[in-house]
Amino acid sequence: MNLGMEGIPYNWHEQIINLLAERIVVVDRDGIILYINEAYCEFLGTTVEEAINRPVQEVIENTRMHIIAKTGQKELAAVHPINGSEMVANRFPLVVDGEIVGALGTVMFRNPEEWRMYKTKIQNLAEELNYYKTKVEKDLKSKYHFNGLIGNSPTFLATKKLAERISANNSSVLLIGESGTGKELFAHAIHNNSMRSSLPFVTINCASIPEHLLESELFGYEDGAFTGAKKGGKKGQFQIANNGTIFLDEIGDMPLAMQSKLLRVLQEKEIQRIGGQKSIAVDVRIIAATHRDLEKMVEEGKFRQDLYYRLNVIKIEIPPLRKRKEDIPLISLGLLKKLEGKFYRKGIELSSDVIKRLMEHTWPGNIRELENVLERAINVLDGKIIDLAHLPLYLRDLGLENTRVKETNTENKPSTMPPSLTVQPLKETLAIVEKDAILQALDITNGNKQEAAKLLEIGKTSFYEKCKLYGIN
Protein backbone atom coordinates (compact mmCIF):
# COMPACT_ATOMS: atom_id res chain seq x y z
CA MET A 1 0.00 0.00 0.00
CA ASN A 2 1.35 3.44 -0.96
CA LEU A 3 0.96 5.71 2.04
CA GLY A 4 1.02 9.32 0.88
CA MET A 5 -1.23 12.40 0.97
CA GLU A 6 -4.34 10.19 0.71
CA GLY A 7 -4.54 9.94 4.50
CA ILE A 8 -4.63 13.74 4.90
CA PRO A 9 -8.09 15.35 4.47
CA TYR A 10 -8.20 17.49 1.33
CA ASN A 11 -9.27 20.65 3.19
CA TRP A 12 -6.05 20.43 5.20
CA HIS A 13 -3.82 20.78 2.16
CA GLU A 14 -4.11 24.54 1.79
CA GLN A 15 -3.13 25.18 5.41
CA ILE A 16 -0.22 22.73 5.20
CA ILE A 17 1.12 24.42 2.06
CA ASN A 18 0.85 27.87 3.63
CA LEU A 19 2.68 26.69 6.73
CA LEU A 20 5.46 25.09 4.72
CA ALA A 21 6.03 28.19 2.59
CA GLU A 22 4.53 31.62 3.19
CA ARG A 23 4.45 32.51 -0.53
CA ILE A 24 4.20 29.77 -3.13
CA VAL A 25 3.32 29.32 -6.84
CA VAL A 26 2.97 26.18 -9.01
CA VAL A 27 3.02 26.18 -12.83
CA ASP A 28 2.57 23.46 -15.41
CA ARG A 29 4.97 22.47 -18.21
CA ASP A 30 3.87 25.49 -20.25
CA GLY A 31 4.26 28.00 -17.41
CA ILE A 32 0.54 28.36 -16.70
CA ILE A 33 -0.23 29.04 -13.04
CA LEU A 34 -2.05 26.06 -11.52
CA TYR A 35 -1.81 27.22 -7.91
CA ILE A 36 -0.80 30.39 -6.06
CA ASN A 37 -1.61 31.18 -2.44
CA GLU A 38 -3.13 34.34 -1.01
CA ALA A 39 0.07 35.48 0.70
CA TYR A 40 1.90 35.56 -2.64
CA CYS A 41 -1.01 37.34 -4.33
CA GLU A 42 -1.05 40.03 -1.61
CA PHE A 43 2.67 40.58 -2.17
CA LEU A 44 2.07 40.87 -5.95
CA GLY A 45 -0.98 43.12 -5.58
CA THR A 46 -3.43 40.71 -7.22
CA THR A 47 -5.93 38.00 -6.23
CA VAL A 48 -5.94 34.24 -6.56
CA GLU A 49 -8.89 34.39 -8.97
CA GLU A 50 -7.07 36.84 -11.27
CA ALA A 51 -3.81 34.86 -11.25
CA ILE A 52 -4.98 31.26 -11.73
CA ASN A 53 -4.74 29.81 -15.27
CA ARG A 54 -2.72 32.75 -16.56
CA PRO A 55 0.88 32.59 -17.90
CA VAL A 56 3.21 33.16 -14.99
CA GLN A 57 5.09 35.91 -16.89
CA GLU A 58 1.91 38.05 -16.88
CA VAL A 59 1.50 37.78 -13.10
CA ILE A 60 5.04 37.74 -11.67
CA GLU A 61 7.50 40.36 -12.88
CA ASN A 62 10.87 38.98 -14.14
CA THR A 63 9.81 35.43 -13.32
CA ARG A 64 11.83 32.38 -14.43
CA MET A 65 9.25 29.77 -13.46
CA HIS A 66 8.38 28.93 -17.06
CA ILE A 67 12.09 28.44 -17.80
CA ILE A 68 12.54 26.04 -14.88
CA ALA A 69 9.51 24.06 -16.10
CA LYS A 70 11.36 23.56 -19.42
CA THR A 71 15.00 23.08 -18.30
CA GLY A 72 14.42 21.11 -15.10
CA GLN A 73 17.30 23.01 -13.43
CA LYS A 74 16.54 24.15 -9.88
CA GLU A 75 17.59 27.60 -8.66
CA LEU A 76 18.18 28.13 -4.94
CA ALA A 77 18.31 31.49 -3.12
CA ALA A 78 18.09 33.33 -6.41
CA VAL A 79 17.85 37.14 -6.39
CA HIS A 80 14.66 38.19 -8.18
CA PRO A 81 14.12 41.90 -9.15
CA ILE A 82 10.49 42.78 -8.50
CA ASN A 83 8.38 45.82 -7.57
CA GLY A 84 11.45 48.08 -7.59
CA SER A 85 13.23 45.86 -5.08
CA GLU A 86 14.79 42.41 -4.94
CA MET A 87 13.39 39.30 -3.35
CA VAL A 88 15.11 35.96 -2.72
CA ALA A 89 13.35 32.96 -4.28
CA ASN A 90 13.73 29.19 -4.65
CA ARG A 91 12.60 27.44 -7.85
CA PHE A 92 12.25 23.65 -8.23
CA PRO A 93 11.25 21.49 -11.22
CA LEU A 94 8.40 19.03 -10.57
CA VAL A 95 9.18 15.54 -11.91
CA VAL A 96 6.61 12.72 -12.07
CA ASP A 97 7.54 9.28 -13.44
CA GLY A 98 10.81 10.70 -14.72
CA GLU A 99 9.13 13.48 -16.70
CA ILE A 100 9.11 17.23 -15.96
CA VAL A 101 5.49 18.25 -15.43
CA GLY A 102 5.91 21.77 -14.07
CA ALA A 103 7.71 23.88 -11.46
CA LEU A 104 7.33 25.07 -7.88
CA GLY A 105 8.44 28.50 -6.66
CA THR A 106 8.71 29.88 -3.12
CA VAL A 107 9.68 33.32 -1.87
CA MET A 108 12.20 33.18 0.98
CA PHE A 109 12.55 36.94 1.53
CA ARG A 110 10.41 39.64 -0.01
CA ASN A 111 13.14 42.30 0.00
CA PRO A 112 16.76 42.87 1.02
CA GLU A 113 15.69 44.37 4.36
CA GLU A 114 13.88 41.17 5.27
CA TRP A 115 16.98 39.18 4.31
CA ARG A 116 19.27 41.48 6.27
CA MET A 117 16.99 41.26 9.33
CA TYR A 118 17.03 37.46 9.11
CA LYS A 119 20.79 37.43 8.55
CA THR A 120 21.35 39.74 11.52
CA LYS A 121 19.18 37.56 13.73
CA ILE A 122 21.05 34.40 12.71
CA GLN A 123 24.39 36.18 13.07
CA ASN A 124 23.47 37.39 16.56
CA LEU A 125 22.43 33.88 17.56
CA ALA A 126 25.67 32.47 16.16
CA GLU A 127 27.72 35.08 18.02
CA GLU A 128 25.81 34.42 21.24
CA LEU A 129 26.33 30.69 20.85
CA ASN A 130 30.03 31.23 20.19
CA TYR A 131 30.28 33.53 23.23
CA TYR A 132 28.79 30.96 25.58
CA LYS A 133 30.80 28.17 24.00
CA THR A 134 34.00 30.15 24.53
CA LYS A 135 32.92 31.07 28.06
CA VAL A 136 32.26 27.44 28.97
CA GLU A 137 35.58 26.35 27.48
CA LYS A 138 37.33 29.18 29.32
CA ASP A 139 35.61 28.33 32.60
CA LEU A 140 36.77 24.73 32.25
CA LYS A 141 40.39 25.78 31.71
CA SER A 142 42.83 26.41 34.52
CA LYS A 143 44.04 30.01 34.66
CA TYR A 144 47.32 29.94 36.56
CA HIS A 145 50.77 28.41 36.03
CA PHE A 146 53.67 27.85 38.39
CA ASN A 147 55.52 30.85 36.98
CA GLY A 148 52.61 32.98 38.21
CA LEU A 149 53.06 31.86 41.84
CA ILE A 150 55.20 34.65 43.27
CA GLY A 151 57.73 34.26 46.08
CA ASN A 152 61.42 33.63 46.76
CA SER A 153 61.33 32.69 50.44
CA PRO A 154 62.77 29.21 51.21
CA THR A 155 59.48 27.88 52.64
CA PHE A 156 57.47 29.00 49.62
CA LEU A 157 60.03 27.75 47.07
CA ALA A 158 60.07 24.33 48.77
CA THR A 159 56.25 24.15 48.60
CA LYS A 160 56.22 25.22 44.96
CA LYS A 161 58.94 22.70 44.05
CA LEU A 162 56.99 19.85 45.65
CA ALA A 163 53.80 20.84 43.81
CA GLU A 164 55.65 20.96 40.48
CA ARG A 165 57.24 17.55 41.10
CA ILE A 166 53.96 15.75 41.84
CA SER A 167 51.86 17.54 39.18
CA ALA A 168 52.77 15.10 36.38
CA ASN A 169 51.16 12.06 38.03
CA ASN A 170 47.49 11.26 38.73
CA SER A 171 47.58 10.91 42.52
CA SER A 172 45.11 12.83 44.70
CA VAL A 173 46.45 16.03 46.23
CA LEU A 174 45.40 17.66 49.50
CA LEU A 175 46.25 21.37 49.79
CA ILE A 176 46.37 22.63 53.38
CA GLY A 177 46.59 26.30 54.25
CA GLU A 178 44.86 29.29 55.83
CA SER A 179 42.24 31.26 53.90
CA GLY A 180 43.79 33.56 51.32
CA THR A 181 47.12 31.73 50.95
CA GLY A 182 46.51 30.78 47.32
CA LYS A 183 45.35 27.17 47.50
CA GLU A 184 43.21 27.54 44.37
CA LEU A 185 46.13 29.03 42.44
CA PHE A 186 48.22 25.98 43.34
CA ALA A 187 45.40 23.70 42.16
CA HIS A 188 45.25 25.51 38.80
CA ALA A 189 49.03 25.31 38.41
CA ILE A 190 49.16 21.58 39.24
CA HIS A 191 46.50 20.85 36.60
CA ASN A 192 48.22 23.06 34.03
CA ASN A 193 51.49 21.21 34.57
CA SER A 194 49.89 17.76 34.28
CA MET A 195 49.12 15.48 31.35
CA ARG A 196 45.48 16.50 31.75
CA SER A 197 46.19 20.19 31.10
CA SER A 198 44.23 20.30 27.82
CA LEU A 199 41.21 18.64 29.46
CA PRO A 200 38.56 20.15 31.79
CA PHE A 201 39.43 21.75 35.12
CA VAL A 202 36.29 22.02 37.27
CA THR A 203 36.12 23.91 40.57
CA ILE A 204 33.59 23.13 43.30
CA ASN A 205 33.40 25.11 46.54
CA CYS A 206 31.93 22.62 48.99
CA ALA A 207 31.15 25.37 51.52
CA SER A 208 29.15 27.59 49.17
CA ILE A 209 26.69 24.98 47.83
CA PRO A 210 23.66 24.16 50.04
CA GLU A 211 23.76 20.60 51.38
CA HIS A 212 20.55 19.55 49.60
CA LEU A 213 21.98 20.67 46.23
CA LEU A 214 25.52 19.32 46.59
CA GLU A 215 24.78 15.77 45.40
CA SER A 216 22.99 16.91 42.24
CA GLU A 217 25.77 19.44 41.57
CA LEU A 218 28.49 16.80 41.89
CA PHE A 219 26.78 13.79 40.31
CA GLY A 220 23.86 15.20 38.28
CA TYR A 221 20.31 13.88 37.97
CA GLU A 222 18.02 12.11 35.51
CA ASP A 223 14.92 13.54 33.83
CA GLY A 224 12.06 13.71 36.35
CA ALA A 225 14.27 12.78 39.31
CA PHE A 226 12.51 15.37 41.50
CA THR A 227 10.07 18.27 41.29
CA GLY A 228 11.67 21.08 39.33
CA ALA A 229 14.27 18.85 37.70
CA LYS A 230 15.48 20.12 34.34
CA LYS A 231 13.96 18.31 31.36
CA GLY A 232 16.41 15.78 30.02
CA GLY A 233 18.34 15.69 33.29
CA LYS A 234 21.63 17.35 34.07
CA LYS A 235 25.27 16.34 34.01
CA GLY A 236 27.12 16.58 37.30
CA GLN A 237 30.48 18.27 37.72
CA PHE A 238 32.27 14.90 37.92
CA GLN A 239 30.90 13.95 34.50
CA ILE A 240 31.84 17.37 33.09
CA ALA A 241 35.37 16.96 34.49
CA ASN A 242 35.78 13.47 33.02
CA ASN A 243 39.40 12.82 31.96
CA GLY A 244 40.39 16.12 33.58
CA THR A 245 40.75 17.46 37.12
CA ILE A 246 38.17 18.38 39.73
CA PHE A 247 39.13 20.80 42.49
CA LEU A 248 37.13 20.35 45.69
CA ASP A 249 37.72 23.56 47.63
CA GLU A 250 36.83 23.69 51.34
CA ILE A 251 36.51 19.90 51.47
CA GLY A 252 36.40 20.14 55.27
CA ASP A 253 32.92 21.69 54.99
CA MET A 254 31.46 18.74 53.08
CA PRO A 255 28.61 17.01 55.03
CA LEU A 256 29.31 13.47 56.30
CA ALA A 257 26.58 11.96 54.11
CA MET A 258 28.23 13.38 51.00
CA GLN A 259 31.66 12.28 52.18
CA SER A 260 30.64 8.63 51.96
CA LYS A 261 29.25 9.13 48.44
CA LEU A 262 32.44 10.88 47.38
CA LEU A 263 34.49 8.03 48.81
CA ARG A 264 32.56 5.56 46.66
CA VAL A 265 33.33 7.61 43.55
CA LEU A 266 37.03 7.64 44.39
CA GLN A 267 37.05 3.89 45.04
CA GLU A 268 34.85 2.69 42.17
CA LYS A 269 35.68 5.46 39.66
CA GLU A 270 32.02 5.74 38.71
CA ILE A 271 29.04 7.93 39.59
CA GLN A 272 25.30 7.46 39.69
CA ARG A 273 22.97 10.34 38.95
CA ILE A 274 20.07 11.11 41.27
CA GLY A 275 17.11 9.07 40.00
CA GLY A 276 19.39 7.01 37.76
CA GLN A 277 19.77 3.23 37.73
CA LYS A 278 23.03 2.82 35.85
CA SER A 279 26.56 3.73 36.85
CA ILE A 280 28.63 6.08 34.70
CA ALA A 281 32.39 5.58 34.58
CA VAL A 282 34.48 8.70 35.27
CA ASP A 283 38.22 9.29 35.24
CA VAL A 284 39.14 12.40 37.20
CA ARG A 285 42.07 13.55 39.26
CA ILE A 286 41.08 14.96 42.65
CA ILE A 287 42.70 18.03 44.13
CA ALA A 288 41.13 18.97 47.47
CA ALA A 289 41.81 21.97 49.68
CA THR A 290 40.87 23.13 53.16
CA HIS A 291 41.87 25.57 55.88
CA ARG A 292 40.58 23.19 58.55
CA ASP A 293 42.56 20.65 60.61
CA LEU A 294 41.25 17.45 59.00
CA GLU A 295 43.20 15.18 61.36
CA LYS A 296 41.45 16.79 64.33
CA MET A 297 38.11 16.54 62.52
CA VAL A 298 38.74 12.80 61.96
CA GLU A 299 39.39 12.37 65.71
CA GLU A 300 36.15 14.24 66.48
CA GLY A 301 34.17 12.11 64.01
CA LYS A 302 33.41 15.10 61.74
CA PHE A 303 35.41 13.81 58.79
CA ARG A 304 35.62 10.25 57.49
CA GLN A 305 38.99 8.67 58.17
CA ASP A 306 38.89 6.50 55.03
CA LEU A 307 38.12 9.54 52.85
CA TYR A 308 40.93 11.49 54.52
CA TYR A 309 43.43 8.77 53.60
CA ARG A 310 42.08 8.67 50.03
CA LEU A 311 42.57 12.42 49.63
CA ASN A 312 45.80 12.65 51.59
CA VAL A 313 48.00 10.76 49.10
CA ILE A 314 50.08 13.89 48.61
CA LYS A 315 49.73 16.67 51.19
CA ILE A 316 51.04 20.14 50.39
CA GLU A 317 51.03 22.79 53.12
CA ILE A 318 51.01 26.34 51.77
CA PRO A 319 52.72 28.76 54.21
CA PRO A 320 50.82 31.82 55.44
CA LEU A 321 52.06 35.29 54.50
CA ARG A 322 53.36 36.04 58.01
CA LYS A 323 55.82 33.14 57.63
CA ARG A 324 57.25 34.51 54.38
CA LYS A 325 57.23 38.24 54.93
CA GLU A 326 60.27 38.68 52.70
CA ASP A 327 57.92 37.89 49.79
CA ILE A 328 55.56 40.80 50.57
CA PRO A 329 57.29 43.43 48.36
CA LEU A 330 57.41 41.04 45.40
CA ILE A 331 53.81 39.88 45.87
CA SER A 332 52.64 43.48 46.26
CA LEU A 333 54.32 44.38 42.95
CA GLY A 334 52.54 41.49 41.22
CA LEU A 335 49.19 42.47 42.72
CA LEU A 336 49.67 46.11 41.67
CA LYS A 337 50.26 45.01 38.06
CA LYS A 338 47.03 43.01 38.21
CA LEU A 339 45.07 45.89 39.76
CA GLU A 340 46.48 48.41 37.26
CA GLY A 341 44.66 46.51 34.52
CA LYS A 342 41.44 46.56 36.54
CA PHE A 343 41.62 50.33 37.16
CA TYR A 344 43.21 51.29 33.81
CA ARG A 345 46.18 52.80 35.62
CA LYS A 346 49.93 52.51 35.04
CA GLY A 347 53.13 53.05 36.99
CA ILE A 348 51.67 52.76 40.52
CA GLU A 349 54.35 52.30 43.19
CA LEU A 350 54.60 51.82 46.96
CA SER A 351 56.46 54.27 49.15
CA SER A 352 59.23 52.90 51.37
CA ASP A 353 57.08 53.71 54.45
CA VAL A 354 54.21 51.64 53.05
CA ILE A 355 56.48 48.68 52.29
CA LYS A 356 57.81 48.87 55.85
CA ARG A 357 54.27 49.02 57.26
CA LEU A 358 53.14 46.06 55.13
CA MET A 359 56.10 44.05 56.42
CA GLU A 360 55.10 44.84 60.03
CA HIS A 361 51.53 43.54 59.72
CA THR A 362 50.69 39.89 60.59
CA TRP A 363 48.22 39.44 57.67
CA PRO A 364 45.54 37.14 59.14
CA GLY A 365 43.76 37.30 55.77
CA ASN A 366 47.01 36.52 53.92
CA ILE A 367 47.37 37.44 50.23
CA ARG A 368 43.65 38.05 49.85
CA GLU A 369 43.84 40.70 52.58
CA LEU A 370 46.93 42.26 50.98
CA GLU A 371 45.15 42.52 47.62
CA ASN A 372 42.13 44.16 49.27
CA VAL A 373 44.39 46.69 51.00
CA LEU A 374 46.12 47.60 47.73
CA GLU A 375 42.82 47.83 45.85
CA ARG A 376 41.43 50.17 48.49
CA ALA A 377 44.58 52.30 48.26
CA ILE A 378 44.27 52.65 44.48
CA ASN A 379 40.65 53.74 44.91
CA VAL A 380 41.71 56.78 46.94
CA LEU A 381 44.96 57.44 45.06
CA ASP A 382 45.35 60.65 43.04
CA GLY A 383 48.97 60.29 41.94
CA LYS A 384 51.11 57.20 41.39
CA ILE A 385 52.72 56.68 44.82
CA ILE A 386 50.78 54.80 47.51
CA ASP A 387 51.64 56.36 50.87
CA LEU A 388 50.63 55.64 54.47
CA ALA A 389 47.64 57.99 54.18
CA HIS A 390 46.14 55.73 51.51
CA LEU A 391 46.19 52.63 53.73
CA PRO A 392 43.22 51.53 55.86
CA LEU A 393 43.03 53.00 59.35
CA TYR A 394 44.05 49.77 61.10
CA LEU A 395 47.33 49.72 59.16
CA ARG A 396 47.99 53.41 59.74
CA ASP A 397 47.45 52.92 63.48
CA LEU A 398 49.80 49.94 63.42
CA GLY A 399 52.77 52.30 63.56
CA LEU A 400 51.43 53.96 66.72
CA GLU A 401 50.82 50.59 68.34
CA ASN A 402 54.35 49.43 67.54
CA THR A 403 55.76 52.65 69.00
CA ARG A 404 53.76 52.15 72.20
CA VAL A 405 54.97 48.54 72.48
CA LYS A 406 58.60 49.61 72.05
CA GLU A 407 58.24 52.36 74.65
CA THR A 408 56.68 49.90 77.09
CA ASN A 409 59.44 47.35 76.54
CA THR A 410 62.28 49.86 76.96
CA GLU A 411 60.80 51.52 80.07
CA ASN A 412 61.62 48.95 82.77
CA LYS A 413 62.27 51.34 85.66
CA PRO A 414 59.33 52.73 87.61
CA SER A 415 58.85 56.44 87.04
CA THR A 416 59.73 58.76 89.87
CA MET A 417 57.51 61.43 88.39
CA PRO A 418 53.90 61.62 89.52
CA PRO A 419 51.39 60.54 86.86
CA SER A 420 50.45 63.47 84.68
CA LEU A 421 47.77 61.73 82.61
CA THR A 422 44.24 60.90 83.61
CA VAL A 423 42.30 57.92 82.24
CA GLN A 424 39.20 58.93 80.27
CA PRO A 425 35.99 56.87 80.14
CA LEU A 426 36.03 54.36 77.29
CA LYS A 427 33.01 55.97 75.63
CA GLU A 428 34.77 59.33 75.40
CA THR A 429 37.98 57.73 74.13
CA LEU A 430 36.10 55.90 71.37
CA ALA A 431 34.30 59.11 70.39
CA ILE A 432 37.65 60.93 70.02
CA VAL A 433 39.06 58.13 67.86
CA GLU A 434 35.89 58.00 65.74
CA LYS A 435 35.90 61.77 65.18
CA ASP A 436 39.61 61.71 64.21
CA ALA A 437 38.94 58.87 61.74
CA ILE A 438 36.10 60.84 60.09
CA LEU A 439 38.24 63.98 59.81
CA GLN A 440 41.10 61.96 58.34
CA ALA A 441 38.80 60.34 55.77
CA LEU A 442 37.40 63.73 54.78
CA ASP A 443 40.92 65.07 54.44
CA ILE A 444 41.87 62.23 52.09
CA THR A 445 38.73 62.69 49.96
CA ASN A 446 38.99 66.50 49.89
CA GLY A 447 35.74 66.84 51.82
CA ASN A 448 33.72 64.36 49.72
CA LYS A 449 31.45 62.78 52.34
CA GLN A 450 30.21 59.92 50.17
CA GLU A 451 33.77 58.85 49.35
CA ALA A 452 34.76 59.29 53.01
CA ALA A 453 31.90 57.00 54.07
CA LYS A 454 33.12 54.40 51.60
CA LEU A 455 36.66 54.61 52.98
CA LEU A 456 35.37 54.06 56.50
CA GLU A 457 33.12 51.27 55.21
CA ILE A 458 29.97 52.67 56.82
CA GLY A 459 26.63 53.71 55.34
CA LYS A 460 26.06 57.22 54.03
CA THR A 461 23.22 57.90 56.50
CA SER A 462 25.30 56.70 59.44
CA PHE A 463 28.21 58.88 58.29
CA TYR A 464 26.06 62.04 58.12
CA GLU A 465 24.60 61.32 61.56
CA LYS A 466 28.09 61.01 63.07
CA CYS A 467 29.21 64.24 61.37
CA LYS A 468 26.23 66.00 62.94
CA LEU A 469 26.95 64.42 66.32
CA TYR A 470 30.59 65.60 66.31
CA GLY A 471 29.82 69.00 64.75
CA ILE A 472 31.78 68.25 61.55
CA ASN A 473 30.73 70.40 58.60
Side-chain angles (χ1 to χ4, degrees), residues 241-409:
N242 192 32
N243 297 318
T245 303
I246 193 162
F247 174 50
L248 299 173
D249 199 7
E250 303 298 351
I251 189 72
D253 293 273
M254 179 176 281
L256 276 168
M258 277 303 303
Q259 290 178 27
S260 53
K261 292 179 180 179
L262 176 61
L263 178 65
R264 180 183 175 277
V265 173
L266 298 183
Q267 290 174 334
E268 307 298 330
K269 296 189 182 300
E270 60 184 27
I271 61 163
Q272 190 167 315
R273 291 184 182 183
I274 297 176
Q277 301 299 318
K278 63 177 183 178
S279 296
I280 302 169
V282 289
D283 172 23
V284 294
R285 183 185 192 178
I286 303 290
I287 301 177
T290 184
H291 67 281
R292 296 181 180 276
D293 186 344
L294 290 188
E295 291 182 6
K296 186 178 179 182
M297 290 181 69
V298 168
E299 291 174 6
E300 295 172 347
K302 296 178 181 178
F303 199 87
R304 289 185 63 108
Q305 186 178 46
D306 42 10
L307 177 59
Y308 174 66
Y309 289 132
R310 277 279 177 182
L311 297 173
N312 193 26
V313 178
I314 300 166
K315 182 164 76 172
I316 299 176
E317 294 191 40
I318 303 172
L321 197 53
R322 65 181 175 276
K323 291 187 179 179
R324 54 182 189 116
K325 284 192 174 182
E326 60 266 49
D327 288 336
I328 288 176
L330 196 59
I331 294 171
S332 298
L333 183 63
L335 291 173
L336 283 178
K337 292 295 180 187
K338 174 185 172 183
L339 291 167
E340 281 179 348
K342 180 177 179 179
F343 287 91
Y344 304 101
R345 303 278 293 270
K346 281 187 177 181
I348 298 175
E349 298 177 6
L350 300 175
S351 71
S352 57
D353 288 339
V354 166
I355 293 173
K356 183 182 176 184
R357 187 60 50 83
L358 296 182
M359 296 281 283
E360 291 171 347
H361 187 45
T362 54
W363 299 108
N366 293 292
I367 298 172
R368 188 177 293 128
E369 181 188 358
L370 176 58
E371 183 172 1
N372 287 342
V373 165
L374 295 176
E375 182 172 349
R376 178 212 178 274
I378 294 175
N379 269 294
V380 298
L381 183 65
D382 291 326
K384 292 190 175 183
I385 305 294
I386 295 176
D387 215 333
L388 289 175
H390 302 115
L391 297 181
L393 198 59
Y394 73 92
L395 281 176
R396 277 180 266 158
D397 289 347
L398 185 65
L400 296 174
E401 290 173 14
N402 291 339
T403 302
R404 291 191 194 107
V405 170
K406 287 177 183 176
E407 288 175 353
T408 303
N409 291 337

Side-chain angles (χ1 to χ4, degrees), residues 27-261:
V27 301
D28 65 12
R29 186 78 172 77
D30 298 319
I32 305 299
I33 296 176
L34 301 179
Y35 174 83
I36 186 168
N37 65 353
E38 289 184 8
Y40 205 163
C41 288
E42 286 178 14
F43 173 61
L44 297 170
T46 185
T47 64
V48 174
E49 290 77 15
E50 290 176 354
I52 290 291
N53 296 322
R54 288 177 60 193
V56 69
Q57 306 96 301
E58 295 178 6
V59 178
I60 303 174
E61 181 185 353
N62 297 317
T63 185
R64 289 178 53 81
M65 290 295 294
H66 56 298
I67 299 172
I68 304 303
K70 297 288 185 185
T71 64
Q73 299 295 317
K74 66 182 176 183
E75 296 178 354
L76 301 178
V79 177
H80 183 144
I82 189 170
N83 294 343
S85 184
E86 292 174 329
M87 68 180 184
V88 181
N90 288 328
R91 306 181 186 103
F92 305 91
L94 296 175
V95 180
V96 177
D97 296 329
E99 181 182 351
I100 299 173
V101 296
L104 164 72
T106 63
V107 176
M108 295 172 63
F109 306 103
R110 292 172 292 181
N111 50 55
E113 287 72 25
E114 194 173 89
W115 156 242
R116 278 192 288 270
M117 185 176 68
Y118 181 81
K119 181 184 177 183
T120 301
K121 189 174 181 180
I122 294 297
Q123 190 172 350
N124 289 343
L125 287 172
E127 288 174 358
E128 188 176 347
L129 179 63
N130 188 54
Y131 167 78
Y132 285 112
K133 180 184 176 185
T134 305
K135 187 175 185 297
V136 168
E137 289 174 351
K138 186 179 179 181
D139 289 344
L140 294 179
K141 294 288 184 183
S142 52
K143 304 171 186 175
Y144 307 101
H145 298 75
F146 281 113
N147 57 15
L149 303 181
I150 302 170
N152 290 324
S153 61
T155 52
F156 182 75
L157 287 176
T159 302
K160 185 175 172 181
K161 188 176 180 180
L162 173 61
E164 283 186 272
R165 190 185 305 134
I166 60 88
S167 59
N169 60 45
N170 288 316
S171 299
S172 297
V173 180
L174 180 60
L175 300 173
I176 303 291
E178 296 175 9
S179 294
T181 50
K183 297 186 291 296
E184 185 171 351
L185 272 66
F186 267 84
H188 279 264
I190 290 169
H191 173 78
N192 253 331
N193 204 47
S194 72
M195 293 181 291
R196 299 172 183 256
S197 59
S198 61
L199 297 163
F201 178 83
V202 174
T203 298
I204 292 288
N205 189 312
C206 301
S208 65
I209 302 173
E211 184 175 346
H212 67 284
L213 295 178
L214 190 56
E215 183 176 2
S216 64
E217 187 68 23
L218 289 177
F219 309 132
Y221 55 80
E222 295 292 346
D223 187 5
F226 50 83
T227 303
K230 184 180 176 182
K231 188 175 181 182
K234 177 189 171 185
K235 281 185 178 181
Q237 297 299 321
F238 266 85
Q239 207 173 344
I240 292 171
N242 192 32
N243 297 318
T245 303
I246 193 162
F247 174 50
L248 299 173
D249 199 7
E250 303 298 351
I251 189 72
D253 293 273
M254 179 176 281
L256 276 168
M258 277 303 303
Q259 290 178 27
S260 53
K261 292 179 180 179

